[in-house]
Amino acid sequence: MAIIEVKNLKKKYGPPAGGLTAVDNISFEVNEGEVFGILGPNGAGKTTTLEMIEGLKGITSGQAFLDGHDVSKDTRTVKSLIGVQLQSSSFFEGLNLLELLETFGALYNRKVDAMELLREVQLEEKAKSQHKELSGGQKQRFSIAAALVNDPKVLFLDEPTTGLDPQARRNLWELITEINKKGKTVVLTTHYMDEAEILCDRIAVMDHAHIIALDTTQNLLKLPGLSTSIHFLVDKPLDIEQLKAITGVTSVQSEDHTYRLTTDNSEATLSDLFKLSREAGVKLVDLQLHQPTLEDVFLKLTGHGLRD
Amino acid sequence: MFTLWKLTVVAIKMFVRNKQAMYFTFFFPIFLMVVLGLINFDSATKFDVGIVLNAPPSAQTKQFIEGIKQVPVFEIHEGIESEERKALQDDKRAAVFIIPADLIPGPSEIKVLANANEPAESAAAVNIISGMLDKTALTLSGGANHFTVNKEEINSHHLKYIDFLLPGLVALSIMQMTIFTVAFLFVTFKEKGILKRMIATPMRPSTFVLSNVIVRLLITLIQTAIFISIAVIFFNVQIIGSYWLIALIAILGSLMFLGLGFAISGMASTVESVPVFANLIAFPMLFLGGTFFAIESFPTWLMNIAKYLPLTFLSHSMREVMTKGASFAQISTDIWWMIGWAIILVILANWTFSFEEKRQ
Ligand SMILES: Nc1ncnc2c1ncn2[C@@H]1O[C@H](COP(=O)(O)OP(=O)(O)OP(=O)(O)O)[C@@H](O)[C@H]1O
Ligand SMILES: [Mg+2]
């Protein structure tokens, strides 16, 4: 069931910004309980899209519904149903984490168990600290806690792991997965392919204000034209023509004793390759398989890399 | 209601924990008052003493007056009674002595008009003159009859500099506190994305603004009460007018400057530009708003500008009530002007300040 429906959503920034169209006529749905990712380079329009759905930015044209409520009409209802982590946000100074969460609860007209929330994001020992005393990863975890004070149906996370070290990122991925397991729908944006692959059930790829692909992660990786590459070393040379004849192989490159095959059917290619090497009495050393990544998907779709 | 209550409590906590805000709200004005109060601008090295003769004096009397003129601490003013009484009322005399034309021990009576506002000075003058009379009496009559000194206290209200300063300082502190704490807070919130984070919740922006307004009004009252207490306890300042009226004026002044604070919050896009805007507006008022100097002492053209400044109405009405006990009716012009300014500034604030990012 769709908890978010976006129909022909468009955002044009006013004349001072040169009449820039940041989001151009996009439509998609987010299903209840899934982790939905919006992947795209800087300036693609990810934040703008999220903020229109969150009721923070005016919609130029089109509609967005959250749990059946029109976000531009029932804005306050929508806001009470969602939890928001902004791309960059800080909190009041002079209050400790417990006080901050209680204050946020009050904004929803709720009393909250702030300690329990801090425990959920593993920050209970920082309860009496100020927000500015937290590390980058702790800050992100705290802002997720703040986004959970109203027990939201949908959690929006705008680039939750940007700028974090690998350890802190993994930590946050676990947290997001846990929250999702408790039944909350999560919508996140990211520039990181690995993050999208690990976390997201479905991904919308955004570039220049448009959604250029939307599918499950697995399907995106099976996009026609994407190939797996196989690298290996040999003790004796192999016949290039024979390699080219292997099922699925699309290209062969060789240099000294190193070979690189690309294939659109990795299982078949591998089994044929092993058979060939056994028959030829050639030993394959250091065999490596490179699965296509979302990076490749992106490159394939747009003709340019994610960070150009 | 819960939201408003909680936000108000939070705003109080943030204010109290903000060292800078506390310093400028309480410690600096108190420091200023103590320093300016301790410098005694009023202290004169001589006592002004008035002498009135209602008829041409006898030789003896003349001699006596010459004797008085020799007293080094006296600044003698001779004049007719009505003028000297007036001078006394205006605090230009510590005491006035009305001396009979013919100074005869026994029946003669010197009348002393003592200024109750300068009890030490007038008592000293009376003592010195009594001593001189006693000597005169001794040489004249062998000590049997003394001149009697008939002392009459004149109770004109005396305005020292601290009396003048206190209402102005209260007004100035209200202005500084409201403008700066509001503008710094809201521009910081805007710049750091805190306002945006807040409007991602169902809270109404007006609730947040209201909680901050309530807190500023409370602080205004506390501030005013503290300054008045210090002035009364340590500097002997007398508050003549109604405390209720003082509270009303303080709140009205605070509302006016809250409007200005929010207007500045809307205009300044970075925290660094807050002091620029605030000082551009507040600094001239610091000098022209009647805090340290009476605006009547300015050149006419400057006075014509100064008298319409928001701070001028606040410090003027505050001063009228504190030092002269003015009633509501007597300061109603100031009140109406403050209401007018408050309306203008709130409209301006509404126009410049918004929770949303601009031009969405
Ligand atoms: N308030 C604004 N006024 C004018 N233009 C804006 C505004 N906010 C964003 N833009 C422009 O809209 C486009 C999309 O911005 P958006 O923030 O949605 O991108 P994004 O995909 O979130 O990028 P990033 O990965 O850097 O966060 C950009 O070209 C940006 O410059
Ligand atoms: Mg963004």
Side-chain angles (χ1 to χ4, degrees):
Chain A
M1 201 198 99
I3 191 154
I4 299 175
E5 284 174 82
V6 172
K7 291 180 187 162
N8 307 317
L9 202 61
K10 186 169 185 164
K11 177 73 189 180
K12 223 173 156 148
Y13 284 111
L20 175 118
T21 304
V23 171
D24 198 1
N25 218 22
I26 62 171
S27 301
F28 61 88
E29 288 186 358
V30 176
N31 300 322
E32 188 153 13
E34 74 176 339
V35 178
F36 186 86
I38 301 178
L39 178 76
N42 287 128
K46 306 182 294 292
T47 300
T48 307
T49 304
L50 283 198
E51 290 184 355
M52 281 191 284
I53 303 171
E54 293 158 358
L56 286 176
K57 276 199 165 125
I59 293 172
T60 307
S61 66
Q63 281 176 305
F65 294 91
L66 195 136
D67 204 22
H69 303 278
D70 186 331
V71 301
S72 45
K73 295 202 183 90
D74 301 331
T75 313
R76 292 187 71 222
T77 313
V78 168
K79 285 175 177 176
S80 69
L81 292 174
I82 63 175
V84 172
Q85 181 195 39
L86 297 175
Q87 187 165 352
S88 61
S89 69
S90 47
F91 295 89
F92 301 142
E93 267 179 34
L95 298 188
N96 65 38
L97 300 192
L98 283 180
E99 290 171 322
L100 280 174
L101 289 181
E102 279 164 11
T103 308
F104 265 87
L107 300 182
Y108 293 92
N109 214 7
R110 273 174 186 249
K111 284 202 169 68
V112 296
D113 184 350
M115 205 60 204
E116 177 55 36
L117 279 167
L118 286 181
R119 204 167 294 129
E120 263 179 61
V121 299
Q122 295 152 35
L123 282 175
E124 65 263 51
E125 73 279 17
K126 294 280 176 188
K128 298 281 178 195
S129 305
Q130 299 231 340
H131 181 258
K132 62 180 176 207
E133 297 160 359
L134 300 180
S135 74
Q138 288 168 339
K139 276 188 178 138
Q140 290 295 41
R141 293 214 300 275
F142 178 73
S143 66
I144 290 178
L148 291 173
V149 290
N150 60 330
D151 192 19
K153 285 191 134 173
V154 187
L155 187 62
F156 289 91
L157 307 172
D158 198 353
E159 297 190 19
T161 67
T162 299
L164 300 186
D165 61 74
Q167 170 69 36
R169 291 180 69 203
R170 255 188 297 278
N171 205 320
L172 214 65
W173 291 345
E174 271 170 37
L175 177 63
I176 294 167
T177 311
E178 248 168 61
I179 292 169
N180 178 242
K181 273 195 200 132
K182 287 183 191 156
K184 297 200 189 305
T185 309
V186 177
V187 179
L188 60 87
T189 72
T190 181
H191 320 146
Y192 298 116
M193 299 296 176
D194 52 350
E195 184 160 298
E197 271 184 72
I198 289 172
L199 288 178
C200 301
D201 299 309
R202 291 191 312 137
I203 295 170
V205 182
M206 243 186 132
D207 191 35
H208 291 121
H210 295 274
I211 290 183
I212 51 177
L214 195 167
D215 212 331
T216 60
T217 316
Q218 291 84 341
N219 286 347
L220 281 176
L221 292 170
K222 282 188 207 143
L223 215 63
L226 283 177
S227 45
T228 306
S229 64
I230 302 166
H231 292 242
F232 53 90
L233 290 168
V234 290
D235 54 352
K236 281 181 273 179
L238 276 166
D239 179 21
I240 302 271
E241 289 312 314
Q242 269 184 308
L243 286 174
K244 277 186 180 161
I246 291 176
T247 327
V249 168
T250 50
S251 76
V252 178
Q253 288 161 299
S254 74
E255 195 181 305
D256 292 336
H257 291 265
T258 318
Y259 289 81
R260 180 168 176 268
L261 312 181
T262 53
T263 167
D264 49 21
N265 187 347
S266 49
E267 290 91 8
T269 305
L270 276 178
S271 80
D272 279 10
L273 177 65
F274 289 136
K275 208 164 113 208
L276 182 78
S277 66
R278 225 179 300 121
E279 282 164 4
V282 175
K283 219 172 168 185
L284 302 180
V285 192
D286 201 12
L287 185 124
Q288 289 176 24
L289 195 69
H290 289 276
Q291 298 276 2
T293 62
L294 279 173
E295 184 86 47
D296 303 313
V297 174
F298 193 81
L299 197 64
K300 182 83 199 159
L301 288 168
T302 64
H304 62 85
L306 244 188
R307 298 164 185 281
D308 38 5
Chain B
M1 259 342 261
F2 172 66
T3 311
L4 179 63
W5 166 247
K6 185 81 195 172
L7 282 176
T8 305
V9 172
V10 164
I12 292 174
K13 277 188 190 166
M14 285 195 290
F15 194 98
V16 172
R17 291 179 192 174
N18 183 337
K19 290 199 187 69
Q20 228 175 340
M22 289 300 279
Y23 177 79
F24 280 106
T25 306
F26 297 108
F27 300 109
F28 184 68
I30 290 173
F31 171 77
L32 203 62
M33 177 160 68
V34 168
V35 168
L36 293 175
L38 287 178
I39 301 171
N40 193 354
F41 293 100
D42 317 294
S43 75
T45 44
K46 293 192 169 198
F47 313 147
D48 291 286
V49 172
I51 290 187
V52 175
L53 277 165
N54 287 325
S58 68
Q60 256 179 8
T61 306
K62 240 182 191 158
Q63 204 188 347
F64 177 69
I65 291 172
E66 285 310 309
I68 295 176
K69 284 185 180 165
Q70 303 306 312
V71 179
V73 293
F74 285 171
E75 181 80 52
I76 301 294
H77 306 266
E78 285 174 271
I80 60 164
E81 183 167 348
S82 63
E83 277 173 8
E84 288 302 308
R85 271 185 185 268
K86 172 88 174 54
L88 186 75
Q89 244 139 19
D90 293 345
D91 282 320
K92 289 180 185 135
R93 303 285 183 271
V96 172
F97 294 88
I98 300 166
I99 298 172
D102 197 8
L103 209 54
I104 305 165
S108 294
E109 192 184 77
I110 293 182
K111 204 169 162 192
V112 180
L113 310 178
N115 187 337
N117 285 316
E118 295 175 15
E121 290 88 341
S122 58
V126 169
N127 274 332
I128 292 168
I129 293 195
S130 299
M132 291 171 68
L133 281 173
D134 284 347
K135 275 189 228 151
T136 319
L138 277 172
T139 56
L140 281 174
S141 67
N145 297 303
H146 289 198
F147 292 99
T148 44
V149 174
N150 187 355
K151 194 170 151 193
E152 179 186 330
E153 286 201 351
I154 303 271
N155 218 351
S156 76
H157 179 68
H158 172 65
L159 200 59
K160 288 180 301 211
Y161 185 59
I162 184 90
D163 295 87
F164 176 84
L165 181 68
L166 175 70
L169 205 59
V170 166
L172 180 68
S173 308
I174 290 172
M175 175 179 87
Q176 298 284 72
M177 186 276 289
T178 36
I179 294 184
F180 279 94
T181 63
V182 163
F184 270 120
L185 191 77
F186 279 85
V187 175
T188 308
F189 281 7
K190 193 166 64 169
E191 205 180 20
K192 289 193 172 170
I194 295 174
L195 288 187
K196 191 173 180 184
R197 181 61 188 87
M198 291 185 82
I199 55 164
T201 73
M203 174 209 66
R204 290 174 206 276
S206 55
T207 309
F208 187 55
V209 168
L210 187 61
S211 68
N212 274 285
V213 167
I214 291 173
V215 171
R216 298 299 178 294
L217 294 180
L218 277 175
I219 293 168
T220 296
L221 291 178
I222 295 171
Q223 216 182 9
T224 308
I226 291 179
F227 297 162
I228 291 179
S229 311
I230 291 179
V232 167
I233 295 168
F234 296 103
F235 297 103
N236 243 333
V237 166
Q238 271 186 319
I239 305 294
I240 314 271
S242 143
Y243 284 100
W244 292 112
L245 200 49
I246 292 173
L248 175 77
I249 295 168
I251 285 184
L252 210 51
S254 190
L255 282 175
M256 184 166 71
F257 291 120
L258 279 165
L260 190 52
F262 279 103
I264 292 173
S265 311
M267 290 185 276
S269 47
T270 63
V271 175
E272 288 73 32
S273 56
V274 170
V276 179
F277 275 102
N279 281 326
L280 208 66
I281 295 161
F283 203 65
M285 283 206 263
L286 184 76
F287 292 105
L288 302 179
T291 301
F292 299 109
F293 321 106
I295 66 166
E296 288 78 15
S297 61
F298 297 152
T300 321
W301 65 271
L302 195 57
M303 194 180 97
N304 279 332
I305 298 173
K307 71 181 179 192
Y308 296 110
L309 295 174
L311 184 60
T312 310
F313 295 113
L314 178 57
S315 53
H316 181 257
S317 53
M318 199 65 106
R319 186 165 291 135
E320 291 294 300
V321 174
M322 283 189 189
T323 66
K324 296 187 189 157
S327 65
F328 183 86
Q330 285 167 308
I331 54 163
S332 60
T333 317
D334 290 318
I335 301 271
W336 286 117
W337 270 97
M338 283 200 275
I339 292 173
W341 267 116
I343 291 170
I344 291 171
L345 292 168
V346 167
I347 289 171
L348 181 69
N350 240 317
W351 185 53
T352 64
F353 179 75
S354 134
F355 265 64
E356 327 273 329
E357 278 174 53
K358 292 253 168 68
R359 309 240 169 218
Q360 295 292 297

